[in-house]
Amino acid sequence: MAERPHIDKKSMKVLKFLYSTGECTLSELFKQFGIKGIQNTLPINNIIIYFIKSRYIGLVDSNNNLIHQFTFDSYFETCMSQGIALLSPKHILFLLPEGKFIVEESRRNFFVFLIPLAISILSALASIASIIISLLNNSPILVKLLE
């Protein structure tokens, strides 16, 4: 199995948002992340372009053309030559199977970490509780140890 790239928290939030909504426009995505003004869209646009090229998300442009990793380069060239915006607020984003897998794997990994941690914490609390109960009951073992 190919090694998966490391995805930062902000980028993962984009994937998780798309996972929860199924699809959304760029405008909805910008609104979700509080992005206002064209100058502030560059970081998230770079994330989107990376995800399109990595087969994590697909894009439907204003003409209802499906843009994915195989067609992105020609779409990019067409936009540049005709002076069309590469990404527009009305474009629709959706998760592809690879993107869904990344989100589901992230959730699985979280629970794989969380379950042993919860067991360890419960075990420590049980140990502390038993020590406190022993101290409060004037346990004969504790009395012998203190003598």
Side-chain angles (χ1 to χ4, degrees), residues 14-15 18-19 21-26 29 47-62 64-72 75 86-88 90-100:
V14 171
L15 288 178
L18 285 172
Y19 187 88
T21 60
E23 67 178 40
C24 72
T25 63
L26 271 171
L29 186 70
I47 291 169
I48 291 166
I49 291 169
Y50 172 78
F51 284 158
I52 291 171
K53 289 182 169 188
S54 299
R55 301 187 319 239
Y56 297 154
I57 64 174
L59 175 87
V60 178
D61 70 5
S62 306
N64 288 329
N65 296 317
L66 176 63
I67 311 301
H68 49 79
Q69 78 278 12
F70 299 117
T71 59
F72 184 78
Y75 172 72
L86 188 62
L87 298 172
S88 132
K90 294 186 188 243
H91 288 169
I92 298 170
L93 301 170
F94 60 95
L95 271 182
L96 294 170
E98 281 286 320
K100 288 178 183 177

Side-chain angles (χ1 to χ4, degrees), residues 1 35 54 65 69 86 102 108 123:
M1 187 165 120
I35 297 170
S54 299
N65 296 317
Q69 78 278 12
L86 188 62
I102 292 290
R108 242 186 332 271
S123 174

Side-chain angles (χ1 to χ4, degrees), residues 3-22:
E3 190 173 320
R4 301 246 176 249
H6 297 286
I7 298 175
D8 65 282
K9 286 182 181 181
K10 184 175 182 178
S11 301
M12 185 57 75
K13 285 180 182 180
V14 171
L15 288 178
K16 286 180 178 180
F17 178 72
L18 285 172
Y19 187 88
S20 66
T21 60

Side-chain angles (χ1 to χ4, degrees), residues 79-128:
C79 288
M80 292 300 115
S81 67
Q82 295 179 4
I84 301 171
L86 188 62
L87 298 172
S88 132
K90 294 186 188 243
H91 288 169
I92 298 170
L93 301 170
F94 60 95
L95 271 182
L96 294 170
E98 281 286 320
K100 288 178 183 177
F101 179 79
I102 292 290
V103 173
E104 290 166 0
E105 185 178 50
S106 169
R107 289 180 176 175
R108 242 186 332 271
N109 289 343
F110 175 73
F111 285 111
V112 166
F113 164 76
L114 187 63
I115 291 171
L117 178 64
I119 291 170
S120 297
I121 290 171
L122 288 174
S123 174
L125 290 174
S127 297
I128 291 170

